[in-house]
Amino acid sequence: MEQHRTRPPYDGSRRGTPPSAPLPPQARRRPAVERRPVPGPVRDARQVRVARPVPPTGRRVGRPRLTGLGAGLFCAVALFLLGYLDQLLFGAASLTVYGVLFLPVCALTALWVRESDLLTAPVIVPIAFAVGLFPVAGSGAGLPSRLMGLVTGLATQAGWLYSGTLVAGLIVLVRRVRWVRRRRRRG
């Protein structure tokens, strides 16, 4: 008797390549619609298709969401550039202008940091203040002169430093309370 050979089913792979391993459940595609049983007194095998909400395809216009590191880099670079611009425009006696410009940068940093990194904003702001103060403080050419100007600037401009940190802390506190309330309503 002659044996009949059967071909294995086609698995979609190219000829000569081994068939791919089956995908784990989390990697498989989900159906586009969800099936729910039909409500009513008699439950039978009928099901109703319920369409899922479609996410918006356009870009969402809103405030940026920065990570803790991104917010720190934004704040430090913005204050360094503002300090350098302040030094070019107003000279050595411009620490008050720098302090005034520091406050909106603090507010933006606290508003733009994402909710999971909220508590980093009040820590980032004083560090960035010192980074931005470096070009403004000290008019000497050497490093010791710049460092002495930085220490003097931190001592004399402590009011602006505390005010900016307070602004960032208050914004973070309000955002954190709203975030906790939103989570409690959902869960």
Side-chain angles (χ1 to χ4, degrees):
M1 233 186 204
E2 187 177 309
Q3 291 185 0
H4 184 62
R5 294 172 110 191
T6 59
R7 291 176 57 182
Y10 180 67
D11 64 352
S13 64
R14 293 187 193 157
R15 191 169 211 164
T17 60
S20 60
L23 294 174
Q26 62 268 31
R28 292 185 192 131
R29 287 193 164 188
R30 294 185 188 129
V33 292
E34 184 179 319
R35 296 183 184 265
R36 294 185 185 165
V38 176
V42 178
R43 294 184 183 202
D44 55 2
R46 293 182 297 160
Q47 292 182 344
V48 176
R49 289 182 167 215
V50 178
R52 291 183 184 174
V54 178
T57 57
R59 186 172 176 176
R60 191 178 92 182
V61 178
R63 61 180 183 242
R65 299 284 184 215
L66 299 174
T67 62
L69 179 62
L73 287 174
F74 161 73
C75 193
V77 168
L79 287 173
F80 185 80
L81 292 175
L82 285 174
Y84 188 72
L85 183 68
D86 186 25
Q87 176 66 24
L88 287 176
L89 294 177
F90 300 108
S94 63
L95 290 174
T96 304
V97 175
Y98 175 74
V100 170
L101 293 174
F102 172 65
L103 295 177
V105 173
C106 291
L108 287 176
T109 302
L111 286 172
W112 287 351
V113 71
R114 66 183 182 180
E115 290 171 341
S116 60
D117 294 329
L118 273 176
L119 300 178
T120 60
V123 176
I124 290 168
V125 169
I127 296 168
F129 182 83
V131 169
L133 195 61
F134 195 73
V136 177
S139 57
L143 183 64
S145 173
R146 287 275 179 192
L147 289 176
M148 189 53 126
L150 179 67
V151 170
T152 305
L154 285 171
T156 60
Q157 301 303 314
W160 292 111
L161 177 63
Y162 294 149
S163 299
T165 307
L166 182 65
V167 165
L170 288 175
I171 291 173
V172 162
L173 183 65
V174 169
R175 286 187 62 201
R176 183 71 178 188
V177 166
R178 290 177 61 199
W179 180 68
V180 168
R181 285 184 182 168
R182 241 187 352 255
R183 286 194 63 183
R184 282 186 184 166
R185 273 189 240 131
R186 285 185 202 159

